[in-house]
Amino acid sequence: MSFTVPANLEAEIDKLITHYPVKRAASLMVLHAIQEHFGWISQEAVEWTAKKLELQPINVYELVTFYPMLRQQPMGKYQIKVCRTLSCALGGAYELHKHFCEKLGLDAHAHGPQTTKDGKFTVEFVECLASCGTAPVMMVNDDFHEAVSHAKADEIVGRCK
Amino acid sequence: MPSEYRLILKYADEPGYTPDIECYLRHGGYDALKKALALQPKDLPDGAKRSGPEQIRQEVMASGLRGRGGAGFSCGLKWSFVDRKSGKPIYLICNADESEPGTFKDRQIIHKDPHQLIEGMIISCFANDVHLAYIYIRGEMPDGARLLNRALQEARAKNFLGKDILGNGYDLEMHVHRGAGAYICGEETGLIESLEGKRPYPRIKPPYFPAVLGLWMCPTIVNNVETLCNVKHIVAMGGTEFAKLGTPNNTGTRIVSLSGHVKKPGCYEIEVGRATIGQLIFDANFGGGLRDGRKLKAVIPGGSSAKVFKAGEKFKIKDKEVDMLDLPYDFDSLIQAGSMSGSSAIIVMDDSTDIVGALANIAEFYAHESCGQCTPCREGSLWMSKALHRLTHGEGRAQDADYLVKIADNIPGGRTICAFGEACAWPVQSFVAKFKDEFVDKGAADEERRAKKSKGAGPGMEMKLAASQQH
Ligand SMILES: Cc1cc2nc3c(=O)[nH]c(=O)nc-3n(C[C@H](O)[C@H](O)[C@H](O)COP(=O)(O)O)c2cc1C
Ligand code: SF4
Ligand code: FES
């Protein structure tokens, strides 16, 4: 399957590149734009980005393998990220994570992101989301949720169509 | 009873206050910028002239402003180190990575009052002859990034940014740059590498001090969101007036992020040093105390990297004995008490807290976030996390407490490229030193349980035999 970047996305990327006197600096922003469109960053996407920024593929690949938010495989349609760091843990983050896993048939003890068989949900623990005063907190894709009780969690899942 | 003093968050939580430029302008927004741009060169007694930008730098120095990102370094001094003779462009980066566990103050500013940050940045850029600046915001704040982008557009439309700002002849462009979920991007040289499009491996200092060899090897200023907001107020009120807020050498206000086991967690802005840790936790104006029936066990006073305080702990400060709760919340007192105010994040733990579990949680964070360049940090943070994982999963040993400290003691003190080494060692050193019994008891109990289990002809017995035959 060939990898094609639609014209409007490419235009957006070209604009991003103008923000920097050195093209390479645009890498992260370009990868964000690509991931937003395709949902993940494939090998072809890495090569396309490298070419676009006049880099070697390894220069882009080493970013994809380092930054936790960049995905090397497709994820669920709804990505649930539960903060697991101290203030949230004190506020019940582990119980919340377990609740999601049990509800969606995933393993609460498994390491890293897990996706349901139907590809609808990905659940993972993430580190402090900078909202420790309203623990426990979580994100579903770009949306942020605070003080998430189990009832609220069910509601959030219910709204994911 | 002390109360909040809202300088930065003055309007943020007012009903009807919105993050758009019209609302900001109605509340006196961009007046400080107009004042800064209008400053006329001043004649000095020796006949020299002091330009507008120089006067602003002078005011920031006089204000005593210290960095709000973690290290508490003098902002005026940091700016004075900038190499202005290299002929290279000077860059400014706002550190909006806000990733120190426990900290959630920059989020308030970005979400509720983004123009205040932008105005502070424009003034700081003007003062330092910067023509291109970036806001490095953590990847997990997509809404924050959108809000900032919109605010930048609004500011451009009003010519607060762009070419010939307000007819003053000064040009400045500013962009939002998003991180992607790595804590080490908060460390300023890691941040610079990340912005350059590389892995965020911190740079070794010397020689790579940002003020001299920063972004693209050009002089660069990196300041925290809250620090840059303060610059606006320093210009508005004057450095000496600003210095009257707070306490000597600890001037201005600080936004304290209070979380954990308190009734009213949240952000509280105080004059630096004008409220104690105890007041912040217990007073009705702030945390409102612990949950009913609970007693205080421990307090982390400056983000997860700061050394923990134990309830009832006493310190000798200026020859006086001071209880931990009576420490004024400022930069210097907390350093004297052996910890730090760091990112001004207080995490409160009551007597329901499993201290070993709390440290295990923190250690897991550092093991995950070490960038991996330095062996003591990469291996040490992982070993500590593994030992603590064992201790919290029934596989501990009584000797683990000493083992943990031994590893932690071998990470900091100039053995690593960046201060993450200290940041991952301090919690372990302080938790184990102050709560040693709990660590030893837990390990000993695990050992006892395992020994009991392996008596008789269970699988434990066979394993033991198998192990001893290997010798
Ligand atoms: C491991 C590590 C993480 C850091 N994270 C942040 C951060 O998230 N935000 C921040 O403003 N400063 C952070 N800092 C401090 C920065 O390196 C730098 O000192 C600060 O941005 C300077 O701004 P200031 O002088 O205005 O405080 C971190 C430092 C270290 C060592
Ligand atoms: S101390 Fe740790 S985080 Fe800092 S550069 Fe070394 S390995 Fe990376
Ligand atoms: S610990 Fe969860 S948001 Fe900070």
Side-chain angles (χ1 to χ4, degrees):
Chain A
M1 226 172 42
S2 70
F3 175 81
T4 33
V5 172
N8 56 346
L9 177 60
E10 185 153 6
E12 182 192 332
I13 286 171
D14 286 333
K15 178 125 190 279
L16 285 171
I17 295 172
T18 65
H19 293 176
Y20 306 90
V22 179
K23 275 190 176 178
R24 183 175 186 175
S27 327
L28 256 190
M29 293 300 280
V30 171
L31 290 173
H32 272 303
I34 287 180
Q35 183 160 294
E36 243 154 65
H37 183 82
F38 295 99
W40 63 297
I41 296 159
S42 61
Q43 189 59 37
E44 291 88 343
V46 167
E47 280 159 22
W48 185 90
T49 306
K51 200 159 168 221
K52 187 87 200 164
L53 299 175
E54 293 161 26
L55 298 169
Q56 294 303 317
I58 182 65
N59 303 136
V60 179
Y61 188 62
E62 68 175 5
L63 306 184
V64 179
T65 52
F66 188 94
Y67 291 96
M69 281 179 71
L70 302 180
R71 308 296 199 174
Q72 289 175 266
Q73 55 276 313
M75 292 285 150
K77 183 172 173 205
Y78 297 100
Q79 295 182 39
I80 298 176
K81 300 180 180 187
V82 181
C83 169
R84 59 134 237 117
T85 319
L86 187 57
S87 303
C88 283
L90 295 174
Y94 276 75
E95 292 79 359
L96 178 64
H97 178 259
K98 193 163 159 236
H99 180 76
F100 276 117
C101 289
E102 280 171 359
K103 196 175 165 75
L104 300 172
L106 301 168
D107 176 7
H109 299 288
H111 193 74
Q114 297 180 74
T115 304
T116 54
K117 285 206 185 71
D118 60 1
K120 190 164 168 193
F121 292 100
T122 297
V123 178
E124 71 181 312
F125 262 144
V126 293
E127 299 297 347
C128 179
L129 288 171
S131 187
C132 329
T134 49
V137 303
M138 56 175 278
M139 294 178 81
V140 181
N141 297 342
D142 278 0
D143 297 332
F144 187 68
H145 301 276
E146 302 171 278
V148 185
S149 62
H150 292 196
K152 194 167 169 185
D154 292 343
E155 232 174 80
I156 292 167
V157 169
R159 260 185 276 134
C160 296
K161 293 295 173 208
Chain B
M1 204 199 284
S3 55
E4 274 202 83
Y5 186 100
R6 287 190 167 221
L7 180 72
I8 309 281
L9 297 180
K10 185 166 180 190
Y11 302 116
D13 292 320
E14 258 182 23
Y17 190 78
T18 47
D20 55 274
I21 200 164
E22 293 307 330
C23 179
Y24 188 65
L25 289 170
R26 280 199 301 278
H27 289 77
Y30 290 104
D31 283 354
L33 173 64
K34 288 174 197 154
K35 180 175 169 185
L37 292 173
L39 286 171
Q40 293 304 313
K42 235 190 209 156
D43 293 313
L44 295 180
D46 61 3
K49 276 202 189 301
R50 180 176 288 155
S51 70
E54 281 169 336
Q55 291 171 48
I56 300 171
R57 299 207 295 269
Q58 184 80 20
E59 291 301 316
V60 170
M61 191 69 99
S63 74
L65 176 64
R66 293 171 71 166
R68 281 8 181 187
F73 192 77
S74 158
C75 182
L77 215 50
K78 178 185 273 190
W79 290 8
S80 77
F81 295 151
V82 172
D83 183 355
R84 296 174 203 284
K85 301 213 169 72
S86 67
K88 297 191 245 183
I90 301 169
Y91 296 108
L92 184 140
I93 308 170
C94 168
N95 189 341
D97 194 57
E98 187 152 73
S99 42
E100 175 75 13
T103 321
F104 48 99
K105 65 190 179 71
D106 297 340
R107 177 192 278 277
Q108 315 303 318
I109 299 169
I110 292 164
H111 276 246
K112 297 171 181 170
D113 207 2
H115 280 287
Q116 181 178 191
L117 169 60
I118 291 169
E119 183 176 10
M121 282 183 72
I122 302 172
I123 297 171
S124 303
C125 289
F126 175 66
N128 288 290
D129 200 24
V130 171
H131 300 282
L132 183 56
Y134 295 94
I135 304 174
Y136 189 107
I137 184 169
R138 60 179 299 183
E140 299 91 330
M141 291 187 181
D143 288 337
R146 275 190 280 271
L147 269 165
L148 284 169
N149 267 322
R150 197 186 71 186
L152 288 176
Q153 260 171 20
E154 290 173 332
R156 261 178 226 123
K158 300 254 185 231
N159 193 219
F160 297 134
L161 275 173
K163 294 252 174 273
D164 188 19
I165 294 174
L166 302 179
N168 177 279
Y170 172 61
D171 301 342
L172 173 65
E173 202 34 85
M174 205 179 274
H175 302 290
V176 174
H177 186 96
R178 294 181 62 203
Y183 168 66
I184 198 58
C185 294
E187 197 280 341
E188 55 188 9
T189 59
L191 185 153
I192 288 172
E193 286 282 307
S194 176
L195 186 42
E196 287 186 4
K198 306 176 193 157
R199 281 190 171 189
Y201 288 148
R203 296 175 178 170
I204 197 148
K205 291 143 277 189
Y208 300 110
F209 290 109
V212 184
L213 296 170
L215 190 56
W216 301 301
M217 290 300 141
C218 298
T220 303
I221 295 168
V222 183
N223 272 130
N224 173 258
V225 171
E226 189 185 347
T227 314
L228 290 164
C229 289
N230 272 299
V231 172
K232 167 202 153 138
H233 298 281
I234 291 167
V235 167
M237 65 205 280
T240 4
E241 266 318 292
F242 183 92
K244 289 180 189 159
L245 292 173
T247 49
N249 204 38
N250 297 268
T251 58
T253 67
R254 270 198 105 172
I255 307 173
V256 180
S257 312
L258 186 64
S259 71
H261 292 142
V262 287
K263 281 205 178 119
K264 291 193 299 157
C267 277
Y268 297 101
E269 186 172 359
I270 57 163
E271 280 189 70
V272 187
R274 296 238 181 252
T276 63
I277 293 184
Q279 285 163 338
L280 284 164
I281 296 173
F282 291 101
D283 278 9
N285 283 337
F286 305 112
L290 307 174
R291 300 176 299 177
D292 294 331
R294 288 290 170 196
K295 282 208 225 34
L296 185 66
K297 184 159 188 177
V299 176
I300 300 174
S304 67
S305 309
K307 288 192 174 177
V308 70
F309 288 146
K310 186 177 181 174
E313 204 177 335
K314 307 264 190 283
F315 305 99
K316 259 231 150 51
I317 290 181
K318 289 183 202 132
D319 288 333
K320 266 203 302 210
E321 199 180 67
V322 181
D323 187 273
M324 177 268 277
L325 290 176
D326 297 327
L327 288 170
Y329 198 73
D330 65 14
F331 293 96
D332 294 335
S333 308
L334 267 60
I335 291 172
Q336 281 167 32
S339 188
M340 61 174 182
S341 59
S343 58
S344 68
I346 300 181
I347 305 173
V348 180
M349 290 172 269
D350 70 20
D351 57 356
S352 70
T353 312
D354 165 16
I355 279 292
V356 182
L359 182 62
N361 183 288
I362 297 175
E364 191 174 333
F365 172 80
Y366 290 103
H368 184 251
E369 300 298 339
S370 167
C371 86
Q373 282 193 104
C374 320
T375 312
C377 169
R378 180 188 65 241
E379 302 301 320
S381 61
L382 194 62
W383 292 347
M384 295 190 296
S385 180
K386 281 186 171 167
L388 284 156
H389 186 84
R390 282 203 309 267
L391 260 176
T392 44
H393 287 78
E395 296 296 320
R397 304 169 305 175
Q399 75 204 57
D400 281 341
D402 293 330
Y403 173 69
L404 281 165
V405 173
K406 197 174 142 205
I407 303 170
D409 285 350
N410 278 303
I411 302 173
R415 293 182 181 91
T416 60
I417 292 174
C418 86
F420 184 110
E422 274 75 13
C424 73
W426 284 341
V428 174
Q429 289 171 328
S430 59
F431 269 76
V432 178
K434 295 177 186 185
F435 296 93
K436 186 156 182 185
D437 290 355
E438 296 195 29
F439 287 85
V440 175
D441 290 353
K442 192 149 194 156
D446 280 357
E447 278 180 328
E448 205 181 296
R449 199 174 14 75
R450 286 201 304 273
K452 262 194 204 140
K453 240 199 210 159
S454 63
K455 268 193 203 131
M461 187 69 179
E462 281 160 35
M463 265 176 55
K464 223 175 165 183
L465 279 174
S468 56
Q469 275 164 359
Q470 278 174 9
H471 292 289

